[in-house]
């Protein structure tokens, strides 16, 4: 057994997992700030997004257009991504994680918000620019409050 190669492989796996975690933090932080270009830059050009109320979306432009149209009206949003786990296989990876979304339609109405929770299933690919989201499937398991903006009809 070559201990040096084993240590290098384990270190690379840890670095890859950290890079993917960083990609998600960067992307979802940008989403909450409505920095659409930074957010969509975290996705592969041929990405796919599957989410209950929408038909499966393919490609950055379709994903960007749909998400921006749904979430732009919110005065404030917070996407919490936690309990993540990733499996690395060379230049591909899979992951799972929990999601909590809080959307505030009007920043002046105390206590007025719409919340959703569920879990993500991801596929990632390493590109020349680093890891990118290739596929994301969001399964909602609960909602709380009224979606007064109609952003997630039938979610």
């Amino acid at each position: 057994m070559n201990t040096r190669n084993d240590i290098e492989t384990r270190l690379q796996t840890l670095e890859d997992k950290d890079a993917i975690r960083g990609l998600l933090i960067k992307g979802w932080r940008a989403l909450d700030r409505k920095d659409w270009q930074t957010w969509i830059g975290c996705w592969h050009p041929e990405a796919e997004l599957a989410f209950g109320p929408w038909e499966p979306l393919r490609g950055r432009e379709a994903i960007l257009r749909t998400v921006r149209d749904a979430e732009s009206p919110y005065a404030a949003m917070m996407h919490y991504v936690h309990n993540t786990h990733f499996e690395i296989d060379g230049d591909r990876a899979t992951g799972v994680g929990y999601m909590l979304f809080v959307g505030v339609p009007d920043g002046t109405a105390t206590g007025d918000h719409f919340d959703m929770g569920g879990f993500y299933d991801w596929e990632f690919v390493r590109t020349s620019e680093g890891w990118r989201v290739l596929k994301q499937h969001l399964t909602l398991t609960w909602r709380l409050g009224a979606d007064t903006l109609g952003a997630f009809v039938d979610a």
Side-chain angles (χ1 to χ4, degrees):
M1 173 182 217
N2 187 335
T3 305
R4 181 175 172 87
N5 286 342
D6 185 49
I7 290 172
E8 289 173 0
T9 299
R10 289 170 44 209
L11 179 58
Q12 184 63 56
T13 297
L14 290 171
E15 289 177 344
D16 288 339
K17 288 180 179 183
D18 188 58
I20 290 170
R21 201 170 284 107
L23 173 76
L24 294 175
I25 291 168
K26 174 185 175 181
W28 272 250
R29 186 172 188 219
L31 185 61
D32 290 338
R33 293 177 173 187
K34 300 180 185 179
D35 178 354
W36 306 112
Q37 291 311 116
T38 297
W39 176 72
I40 201 62
C42 294
W43 294 73
H44 188 273
E46 297 171 15
E48 294 180 19
L49 171 85
F51 172 55
W54 304 326
E55 294 292 322
L57 304 169
R58 290 180 177 80
R60 279 183 177 166
E61 291 307 312
I63 292 168
L64 175 60
R65 182 177 48 253
T66 302
V67 172
R68 184 181 53 217
D69 289 352
E71 297 190 2
S72 286
Y74 281 99
M77 303 179 290
M78 293 190 95
H79 293 78
Y80 298 89
V81 179
H82 51 99
N83 293 353
T84 57
H85 177 76
F86 307 104
E87 294 289 333
I88 309 298
D89 185 12
D91 289 338
R92 307 284 270 191
T94 57
V96 295
Y98 289 177
M99 180 278 299
L100 168 62
F101 168 82
V102 178
V104 178
D106 177 358
T108 64
T110 303
D112 184 19
H113 53 91
F114 173 64
D115 308 334
M116 298 184 293
F119 58 90
Y120 288 114
D121 289 288
W122 291 292
E123 291 182 28
F124 303 93
V125 64
R126 187 191 322 262
T127 70
S128 59
E129 290 91 33
W131 288 98
R132 294 294 180 264
V133 177
L134 182 62
K135 292 184 181 181
Q136 175 177 287
H137 181 256
L138 174 57
T139 301
L140 289 181
T141 55
W142 61 270
R143 297 184 309 172
L144 180 66
D147 180 12
T148 57
L149 298 179
F152 303 102
V153 176
D154 298 325

